[in-house]
Amino acid sequence: LGLALVAYLLYKLPSKVNDIKFRRSTLPMTSKFKPETPWWVLVQMLLNLSIAMAQSLFQEAEWQIAWMMSCFMFYQCLLISYRPYFCPVTYYCDVVSTFGKTLILTAAVPYQMTPD
């Protein structure tokens, strides 16, 4: 329900540019992004959902790690391509932290492998 509500609010955002009440109610959701990329909050929600679903989708730890690594790498590519944040420091922090998460997962792979 939350994901659908955010998608609906982002869909209505361009048509409600002059509606002060609507803009104030969506300000916490869109204030940290550039005016042309308010939809990035939806990308972040989908990333969090896909990471949380790793345990439901895969039983083996190796596949869970591979899934999470691919999600983070895809997010990193999108992040570098779109540069959605209003503040450059926030952008660079997100780039570095996403790279760090991927690096931690890469380091965890040898410890999760089962002997054949």
Side-chain angles (χ1 to χ4, degrees):
L1 182 64
L3 195 62
L5 177 64
V6 169
Y8 176 75
L9 289 174
L10 290 172
Y11 175 74
K12 290 304 246 178
L13 194 62
S15 64
K16 302 264 188 178
V17 173
N18 297 326
D19 187 357
I20 303 274
K21 191 174 180 181
F22 183 81
R23 297 294 285 181
R24 281 187 188 153
S25 64
T26 59
L27 187 64
M29 183 175 66
T30 61
S31 63
K32 51 185 179 176
F33 305 112
K34 291 180 183 175
E36 57 271 5
T37 57
W39 46 266
W40 194 257
V41 69
L42 196 60
V43 173
Q44 289 179 329
M45 289 177 75
L46 288 172
L47 172 70
N48 292 337
L49 177 66
S50 64
I51 295 300
M53 293 213 26
Q55 290 183 333
S56 299
L57 294 174
F58 304 103
Q59 296 297 320
E60 297 84 19
E62 299 92 5
W63 287 106
Q64 291 173 1
I65 290 174
W67 172 260
M68 289 189 288
M69 284 175 58
S70 6
C71 290
F72 282 130
M73 284 190 266
F74 183 68
Y75 176 77
Q76 183 92 10
C77 291
L78 288 176
L79 183 64
I80 291 171
S81 297
Y82 286 102
R83 297 179 62 102
Y85 291 104
F86 187 73
C87 179
V89 174
T90 310
Y91 165 73
Y92 291 122
C93 287
D94 199 4
V95 167
V96 169
S97 67
T98 304
F99 180 72
K101 292 172 196 174
T102 308
L103 206 59
I104 289 170
L105 287 172
T106 304
V109 169
Y111 299 105
Q112 297 299 323
M113 298 184 97
T114 55
D116 290 334

